[in-house]
Amino acid sequence: MRLRKLPVLLGLSMCLLVLFTGHVSSVILEVTSLGTVSELNETENTLTITEPRTYGCEYSAQGLTNCSFRKSEDLSLTGTVPDNETYSLIAPGDQVVVTGYGGADGTFITIAKVVTNMSGALVVTDAIGDISSIPVPFIGGYEVLQSEIPDCENCSGTLCTASGALVTIRAEGEDLVSKELIPDETLSYNGRNDGSMVNVTFVSGTAPSSLCKNATLMTGPQSVSDFIVSITPPIGEQEECDSSDNPDEKKSE
């Protein structure tokens, strides 16, 4: 299951029939990469990964889409972290998926710690930042859906400060728990009786001004929010990750 973001951003969409494309936004380029953490610099507020692989998709004439992480030319990638909680949840040697603006060395809007599950697929155990940009599922079959709520009295251009966020935790196609969170509030779920637990904190963020009454059509930066997601996996679920493993390609019609 893929992580999904509920609000639809106004903007132009493009359909490109190319052999390989990166993960991009309609307004500001977003690049998603997989790599191993080599350095955490809390003084500089940065994180560095080595041997990054870039996420992209291939489109066939039959309408199939194959998405995977491909080796890039960069030997390392450094970016500022979206939240200081990064330094509590991430350690050198961890394998992570990061999404950043503008290609190499810039701003990471998302950092997700990934491990290999019993089926050999990558899954996320912890995520920091804009969780809607993660192309890897959460461990335990969980999904986290979020919809930021604009403060329509505090807007600039295409963006408003988010007064809150509607967060839903799902699994196996079923809504397990849902709540409208205010900044720094946490939603928790541990009702599956398998030892697993999900904690989602909405720290802060923005929402599209197009959601406000009498909004005018305009183009501009996409909304970005800061969430902290931590999942205790179900009992027996493998948590070890071999960084030499190649992620399975995802195929969809």
Side-chain angles (χ1 to χ4, degrees):
M1 293 183 179
R2 288 290 305 278
L3 179 81
R4 295 175 288 159
K5 192 172 183 178
L6 297 180
V8 176
L9 304 181
L10 291 178
L12 299 177
S13 62
M14 299 179 64
C15 181
L16 301 177
L17 296 177
V18 295
L19 291 179
F20 192 81
T21 61
H23 180 69
V24 298
S25 163
S26 61
V27 180
I28 298 178
L29 176 68
E30 293 180 4
V31 178
T32 298
S33 304
L34 169 71
T36 302
V37 177
S38 60
E39 182 181 4
L40 290 159
N41 190 327
E42 196 165 356
T43 301
E44 297 294 330
N45 198 42
T46 61
L47 175 146
T48 299
I49 62 174
T50 57
E51 299 181 356
R53 286 178 280 174
T54 304
Y55 184 77
C57 297
E58 296 176 338
Y59 304 95
S60 73
Q62 293 73 32
L64 296 176
T65 303
N66 297 334
C67 298
S68 63
F69 291 94
R70 302 287 184 90
K71 183 178 293 186
S72 71
E73 297 180 356
D74 298 316
L75 298 178
S76 65
L77 190 62
T78 299
T80 56
V81 304
D83 193 286
N84 285 336
E85 191 66 17
T86 300
Y87 302 108
S88 298
L89 297 175
I90 307 297
D94 286 342
Q95 196 171 33
V96 295
V97 170
V98 299
T99 297
Y101 282 154
D105 295 341
T107 299
F108 291 153
I109 61 171
T110 310
I111 300 171
K113 180 180 177 180
V114 296
V115 298
T116 305
N117 66 10
M118 292 182 293
S119 300
L122 289 180
V123 288
V124 175
T125 60
D126 301 278
I128 306 105
D130 196 74
I131 56 177
S132 65
S133 68
I134 306 171
V136 177
F138 285 106
I139 197 168
Y142 285 107
E143 292 180 88
V144 179
L145 285 67
Q146 90 278 5
S147 178
E148 291 83 356
I149 302 164
D151 175 359
C152 294
E153 299 299 320
N154 190 6
C155 301
S156 176
T158 58
L159 300 177
C160 303
T161 299
S163 60
L166 177 61
V167 175
T168 301
I169 298 173
R170 291 170 53 88
E172 300 178 351
E174 179 183 353
D175 291 355
L176 303 175
V177 63
S178 183
K179 185 179 180 181
E180 186 177 310
L181 303 180
I182 62 174
D184 295 321
E185 187 176 8
T186 299
L187 175 64
S188 299
Y189 175 80
N190 64 347
R192 282 205 322 201
N193 198 31
D194 60 0
S196 65
M197 183 171 185
V198 183
N199 291 304
V200 182
T201 300
F202 171 58
V203 180
S204 63
T206 57
S209 59
S210 59
L211 298 177
C212 296
K213 185 178 180 180
N214 299 324
T216 58
L217 178 64
M218 65 180 74
T219 60
Q222 61 269 38
S223 61
V224 174
S225 292
D226 181 10
F227 289 84
I228 308 295
V229 179
S230 292
I231 300 179
T232 301
I235 295 172
E237 181 123 8
Q238 183 177 344
E239 294 185 67
E240 295 180 358
C241 177
D242 182 354
S243 61
S244 65
D245 287 343
N246 290 322
D248 292 336
E249 289 189 354
K250 302 178 182 63
K251 299 183 180 181
S252 60
E253 295 187 0

